[in-house]
Short mmCIF file of all heavy atoms in Angstrom, two decimals:
data_model
loop_
_atom_site.label_atom_id
_atom_site.label_comp_id
_atom_site.label_asym_id
_atom_site.label_seq_id
_atom_site.Cartn_x
_atom_site.Cartn_y
_atom_site.Cartn_z
N GLU W 508 12.73 8.20 1.97
CA GLU W 508 11.86 8.01 3.20
C GLU W 508 12.77 8.12 4.41
O GLU W 508 13.79 7.48 4.52
CB GLU W 508 11.20 6.63 3.13
CG GLU W 508 10.01 6.66 2.26
CD GLU W 508 9.11 5.42 2.47
OE1 GLU W 508 9.27 4.77 3.52
OE2 GLU W 508 8.27 5.12 1.62
N MET W 876 -7.16 -4.95 1.31
CA MET W 876 -7.24 -3.99 0.22
C MET W 876 -5.74 -3.54 -0.10
O MET W 876 -5.39 -3.44 -1.31
CB MET W 876 -8.09 -2.79 0.59
CG MET W 876 -8.10 -1.71 -0.48
SD MET W 876 -8.61 -2.28 -2.12
CE MET W 876 -10.37 -2.29 -1.92
N ASN W 877 -5.00 -3.20 0.90
CA ASN W 877 -3.62 -2.78 0.69
C ASN W 877 -2.81 -3.81 0.04
O ASN W 877 -2.01 -3.56 -0.86
CB ASN W 877 -2.98 -2.39 2.01
CG ASN W 877 -3.65 -1.18 2.70
OD1 ASN W 877 -4.40 -0.46 2.04
ND2 ASN W 877 -3.41 -0.97 3.96
N GLN W 878 -2.96 -5.14 0.45
CA GLN W 878 -2.24 -6.19 -0.15
C GLN W 878 -2.59 -6.42 -1.61
O GLN W 878 -1.74 -6.68 -2.46
CB GLN W 878 -2.46 -7.51 0.62
CG GLN W 878 -1.75 -7.52 1.94
CD GLN W 878 -2.32 -8.66 2.89
OE1 GLN W 878 -3.23 -9.40 2.50
NE2 GLN W 878 -1.78 -8.74 4.08
N HIS W 879 -3.86 -6.23 -1.91
CA HIS W 879 -4.37 -6.32 -3.30
C HIS W 879 -3.71 -5.30 -4.19
O HIS W 879 -3.20 -5.59 -5.32
CB HIS W 879 -5.86 -6.17 -3.31
CG HIS W 879 -6.52 -6.21 -4.67
ND1 HIS W 879 -6.38 -7.30 -5.49
CD2 HIS W 879 -7.27 -5.31 -5.31
CE1 HIS W 879 -7.04 -7.08 -6.60
NE2 HIS W 879 -7.55 -5.87 -6.56
N VAL W 880 -3.64 -4.02 -3.69
CA VAL W 880 -3.03 -2.99 -4.47
C VAL W 880 -1.56 -3.25 -4.66
O VAL W 880 -1.01 -3.07 -5.75
CB VAL W 880 -3.27 -1.65 -3.76
CG1 VAL W 880 -2.44 -0.50 -4.41
CG2 VAL W 880 -4.75 -1.24 -3.79
N THR W 881 -0.90 -3.65 -3.58
CA THR W 881 0.55 -3.96 -3.67
C THR W 881 0.88 -5.04 -4.70
O THR W 881 1.80 -4.93 -5.47
CB THR W 881 1.09 -4.35 -2.27
OG1 THR W 881 0.80 -3.30 -1.37
CG2 THR W 881 2.57 -4.56 -2.28
N SER W 884 0.36 -3.81 -8.23
CA SER W 884 1.44 -2.84 -8.54
C SER W 884 2.72 -3.65 -8.89
O SER W 884 3.43 -3.31 -9.84
CB SER W 884 1.70 -1.91 -7.38
OG SER W 884 2.74 -1.04 -7.64
N LEU W 940 -4.96 -1.88 -11.96
CA LEU W 940 -4.32 -1.19 -10.84
C LEU W 940 -5.00 0.13 -10.53
O LEU W 940 -5.18 0.48 -9.35
CB LEU W 940 -2.85 -1.01 -11.13
CG LEU W 940 -1.99 -0.28 -10.06
CD1 LEU W 940 -2.01 -1.03 -8.74
CD2 LEU W 940 -0.54 -0.06 -10.49
N ALA W 943 -8.09 -0.50 -8.70
CA ALA W 943 -7.78 -0.88 -7.33
C ALA W 943 -7.45 0.32 -6.46
O ALA W 943 -7.87 0.41 -5.28
CB ALA W 943 -6.61 -1.89 -7.26
N TYR W 944 -6.72 1.31 -7.01
CA TYR W 944 -6.41 2.54 -6.25
C TYR W 944 -7.73 3.29 -5.95
O TYR W 944 -7.89 3.85 -4.91
CB TYR W 944 -5.50 3.45 -7.11
CG TYR W 944 -4.00 3.10 -6.93
CD1 TYR W 944 -3.22 2.92 -8.07
CD2 TYR W 944 -3.44 3.03 -5.71
CE1 TYR W 944 -1.87 2.63 -7.95
CE2 TYR W 944 -2.08 2.68 -5.56
CZ TYR W 944 -1.27 2.49 -6.66
OH TYR W 944 0.02 2.18 -6.52
N VAL W 945 -8.63 3.29 -6.97
CA VAL W 945 -9.98 3.98 -6.77
C VAL W 945 -10.68 3.29 -5.58
O VAL W 945 -11.29 3.95 -4.72
CB VAL W 945 -10.76 3.95 -8.05
CG1 VAL W 945 -12.21 4.36 -7.82
CG2 VAL W 945 -10.20 4.76 -9.10
N GLN W 947 -9.38 1.53 -3.17
CA GLN W 947 -8.66 1.82 -1.89
C GLN W 947 -9.02 3.20 -1.36
O GLN W 947 -9.32 3.36 -0.20
CB GLN W 947 -7.16 1.69 -2.13
CG GLN W 947 -6.32 1.78 -0.86
CD GLN W 947 -4.83 1.72 -1.15
OE1 GLN W 947 -4.32 2.34 -2.07
NE2 GLN W 947 -4.09 0.96 -0.35
N LYS W 948 -9.00 4.21 -2.28
CA LYS W 948 -9.36 5.56 -1.86
C LYS W 948 -10.79 5.65 -1.36
O LYS W 948 -11.08 6.24 -0.32
CB LYS W 948 -9.23 6.51 -3.07
CG LYS W 948 -9.38 7.99 -2.65
CD LYS W 948 -9.59 8.88 -3.92
CE LYS W 948 -8.30 9.05 -4.66
NZ LYS W 948 -8.42 10.10 -5.71
N PHE W 951 -11.02 4.23 2.26
CA PHE W 951 -10.61 5.19 3.30
C PHE W 951 -11.66 6.35 3.40
O PHE W 951 -11.87 6.82 4.51
CB PHE W 951 -9.24 5.80 2.95
CG PHE W 951 -8.12 4.78 3.25
CD1 PHE W 951 -7.23 4.36 2.30
CD2 PHE W 951 -7.97 4.20 4.56
CE1 PHE W 951 -6.23 3.47 2.54
CE2 PHE W 951 -6.99 3.31 4.82
CZ PHE W 951 -6.06 2.94 3.85
N PHE W 955 -13.35 7.26 6.99
CA PHE W 955 -13.18 8.62 7.63
C PHE W 955 -14.46 9.39 7.65
O PHE W 955 -14.72 10.15 8.59
CB PHE W 955 -11.99 9.35 6.97
CG PHE W 955 -10.68 8.72 7.24
CD1 PHE W 955 -9.83 8.37 6.16
CD2 PHE W 955 -10.22 8.46 8.51
CE1 PHE W 955 -8.62 7.78 6.39
CE2 PHE W 955 -9.01 7.88 8.76
CZ PHE W 955 -8.23 7.52 7.65
N PHE W 992 -5.46 5.96 11.16
CA PHE W 992 -4.37 6.77 10.58
C PHE W 992 -3.02 6.19 10.81
O PHE W 992 -2.19 6.12 9.93
CB PHE W 992 -4.44 8.19 11.16
CG PHE W 992 -5.41 9.16 10.56
CD1 PHE W 992 -6.40 9.73 11.25
CD2 PHE W 992 -5.31 9.43 9.18
CE1 PHE W 992 -7.34 10.61 10.65
CE2 PHE W 992 -6.18 10.30 8.58
CZ PHE W 992 -7.20 10.90 9.37
N HIS W 995 -2.17 2.44 9.24
CA HIS W 995 -2.11 2.38 7.78
C HIS W 995 -1.54 3.67 7.22
O HIS W 995 -1.97 4.09 6.12
CB HIS W 995 -3.51 2.08 7.21
CG HIS W 995 -4.21 0.93 7.96
ND1 HIS W 995 -3.87 -0.38 7.71
CD2 HIS W 995 -5.14 0.92 8.88
CE1 HIS W 995 -4.63 -1.15 8.49
NE2 HIS W 995 -5.38 -0.42 9.23
N HIS W 996 -0.59 4.23 7.94
CA HIS W 996 -0.09 5.61 7.58
C HIS W 996 0.50 5.64 6.20
O HIS W 996 0.39 6.64 5.51
CB HIS W 996 0.90 6.09 8.62
CG HIS W 996 2.10 5.21 8.78
ND1 HIS W 996 3.24 5.43 8.06
CD2 HIS W 996 2.35 4.13 9.55
CE1 HIS W 996 4.16 4.53 8.40
NE2 HIS W 996 3.65 3.72 9.30
N GLU W 997 1.18 4.57 5.74
CA GLU W 997 1.85 4.59 4.45
C GLU W 997 0.81 4.70 3.35
O GLU W 997 1.01 5.41 2.34
CB GLU W 997 2.65 3.30 4.26
CG GLU W 997 3.87 3.25 5.18
CD GLU W 997 4.64 1.98 5.00
OE1 GLU W 997 4.29 1.17 4.10
OE2 GLU W 997 5.65 1.79 5.72
N GLN W 998 -0.33 4.01 3.48
CA GLN W 998 -1.39 4.04 2.44
C GLN W 998 -2.19 5.32 2.50
O GLN W 998 -2.51 5.99 1.52
CB GLN W 998 -2.30 2.86 2.55
CG GLN W 998 -1.62 1.54 2.15
CD GLN W 998 -0.76 0.96 3.24
OE1 GLN W 998 -0.95 1.26 4.43
NE2 GLN W 998 0.22 0.21 2.84
N VAL W 999 -2.56 5.71 3.74
CA VAL W 999 -3.41 6.92 3.96
C VAL W 999 -2.68 8.15 3.46
O VAL W 999 -3.28 9.10 2.91
CB VAL W 999 -3.85 7.08 5.43
CG1 VAL W 999 -4.71 8.33 5.60
CG2 VAL W 999 -4.63 5.84 5.89
N GLN W 1000 -1.35 8.15 3.66
CA GLN W 1000 -0.51 9.35 3.28
C GLN W 1000 -0.73 9.67 1.77
O GLN W 1000 -0.75 10.87 1.42
CB GLN W 1000 0.98 9.04 3.53
CG GLN W 1000 1.89 10.23 3.54
CD GLN W 1000 1.74 11.02 4.80
OE1 GLN W 1000 1.72 10.45 5.93
NE2 GLN W 1000 1.75 12.32 4.67
N LYS W 1001 -0.94 8.68 0.94
CA LYS W 1001 -1.06 8.91 -0.51
C LYS W 1001 -2.37 9.70 -0.83
O LYS W 1001 -2.42 10.37 -1.82
CB LYS W 1001 -1.18 7.55 -1.26
CG LYS W 1001 0.11 6.77 -1.23
CD LYS W 1001 0.00 5.52 -2.04
CE LYS W 1001 -0.85 4.48 -1.44
NZ LYS W 1001 -0.77 3.12 -2.10
N TYR W 1002 -3.33 9.64 0.08
CA TYR W 1002 -4.62 10.29 -0.17
C TYR W 1002 -4.86 11.46 0.78
O TYR W 1002 -5.99 11.97 0.90
CB TYR W 1002 -5.76 9.24 -0.01
CG TYR W 1002 -5.58 8.05 -0.84
CD1 TYR W 1002 -5.41 6.77 -0.20
CD2 TYR W 1002 -5.50 8.07 -2.24
CE1 TYR W 1002 -5.19 5.64 -1.02
CE2 TYR W 1002 -5.35 6.98 -2.99
CZ TYR W 1002 -5.15 5.73 -2.40
OH TYR W 1002 -4.97 4.61 -3.15
N SER W 1003 -3.79 11.90 1.42
CA SER W 1003 -3.96 12.99 2.47
C SER W 1003 -4.49 14.28 1.84
O SER W 1003 -5.33 14.95 2.46
CB SER W 1003 -2.63 13.26 3.19
OG SER W 1003 -1.59 13.57 2.27
N SER W 1004 -4.08 14.61 0.64
CA SER W 1004 -4.61 15.84 0.00
C SER W 1004 -6.11 15.72 -0.37
O SER W 1004 -6.84 16.66 -0.17
CB SER W 1004 -3.79 16.22 -1.26
OG SER W 1004 -3.82 15.15 -2.16
N THR W 1005 -6.49 14.53 -0.84
CA THR W 1005 -7.92 14.26 -1.10
C THR W 1005 -8.73 14.36 0.22
O THR W 1005 -9.79 15.00 0.22
CB THR W 1005 -8.09 12.85 -1.75
OG1 THR W 1005 -7.26 12.79 -2.87
CG2 THR W 1005 -9.53 12.68 -2.16
N LEU W 1006 -8.21 13.73 1.24
CA LEU W 1006 -8.91 13.72 2.52
C LEU W 1006 -9.06 15.16 3.02
O LEU W 1006 -10.09 15.57 3.61
CB LEU W 1006 -8.17 12.89 3.58
CG LEU W 1006 -8.17 11.36 3.33
CD1 LEU W 1006 -7.21 10.70 4.25
CD2 LEU W 1006 -9.59 10.83 3.47
N GLU W 1007 -8.01 15.97 2.88
CA GLU W 1007 -8.01 17.37 3.33
C GLU W 1007 -9.07 18.18 2.58
O GLU W 1007 -9.72 19.02 3.15
CB GLU W 1007 -6.63 17.97 3.22
CG GLU W 1007 -6.51 19.28 3.92
CD GLU W 1007 -5.04 19.80 4.01
OE1 GLU W 1007 -4.21 19.28 3.26
OE2 GLU W 1007 -4.77 20.68 4.81
N PHE W 1023 -6.21 14.64 12.38
CA PHE W 1023 -5.68 14.63 11.01
C PHE W 1023 -4.41 15.45 10.90
O PHE W 1023 -3.44 14.96 10.22
CB PHE W 1023 -6.76 15.22 10.05
CG PHE W 1023 -6.30 15.28 8.63
CD1 PHE W 1023 -6.21 14.14 7.85
CD2 PHE W 1023 -6.05 16.50 8.01
CE1 PHE W 1023 -5.70 14.18 6.55
CE2 PHE W 1023 -5.61 16.55 6.72
CZ PHE W 1023 -5.43 15.39 5.95
N PHE W 1026 -1.49 13.57 12.19
CA PHE W 1026 -1.07 12.50 11.28
C PHE W 1026 -0.22 13.09 10.13
O PHE W 1026 0.84 12.56 9.85
CB PHE W 1026 -2.32 11.80 10.74
CG PHE W 1026 -2.05 11.03 9.47
CD1 PHE W 1026 -1.34 9.87 9.50
CD2 PHE W 1026 -2.52 11.55 8.27
CE1 PHE W 1026 -1.02 9.15 8.30
CE2 PHE W 1026 -2.27 10.83 7.06
CZ PHE W 1026 -1.53 9.63 7.12
N THR W 1027 -0.69 14.19 9.54
CA THR W 1027 0.07 14.74 8.43
C THR W 1027 1.44 15.29 8.85
O THR W 1027 2.38 15.36 8.10
CB THR W 1027 -0.70 15.88 7.75
OG1 THR W 1027 -1.12 16.86 8.70
CG2 THR W 1027 -1.96 15.30 7.06
N ARG W 1030 5.15 13.12 8.66
CA ARG W 1030 6.15 13.07 7.61
C ARG W 1030 6.34 14.44 7.02
O ARG W 1030 6.82 14.58 5.89
CB ARG W 1030 5.72 12.11 6.49
CG ARG W 1030 5.78 10.63 6.90
CD ARG W 1030 5.67 9.73 5.74
NE ARG W 1030 5.67 8.32 6.09
CZ ARG W 1030 6.77 7.62 6.29
NH1 ARG W 1030 7.98 8.18 6.22
NH2 ARG W 1030 6.73 6.34 6.65
#
Side-chain angles (χ1 to χ4, degrees):
E508 283 195 14
M876 176 57 79
N877 296 344
Q878 287 164 1
H879 177 60
V880 170
T881 304
S884 179
L940 178 61
Y944 277 129
V945 169
Q947 187 182 45
K948 185 194 289 188
F951 284 124
F955 292 125
F992 275 121
H995 312 285
H996 61 92
E997 290 178 4
Q998 290 77 27
V999 179
Q1000 196 77 43
K1001 292 184 290 192
Y1002 307 116
S1003 56
S1004 57
T1005 306
L1006 291 171
E1007 189 168 20
F1023 178 70
F1026 162 71
T1027 53
R1030 292 193 182 276

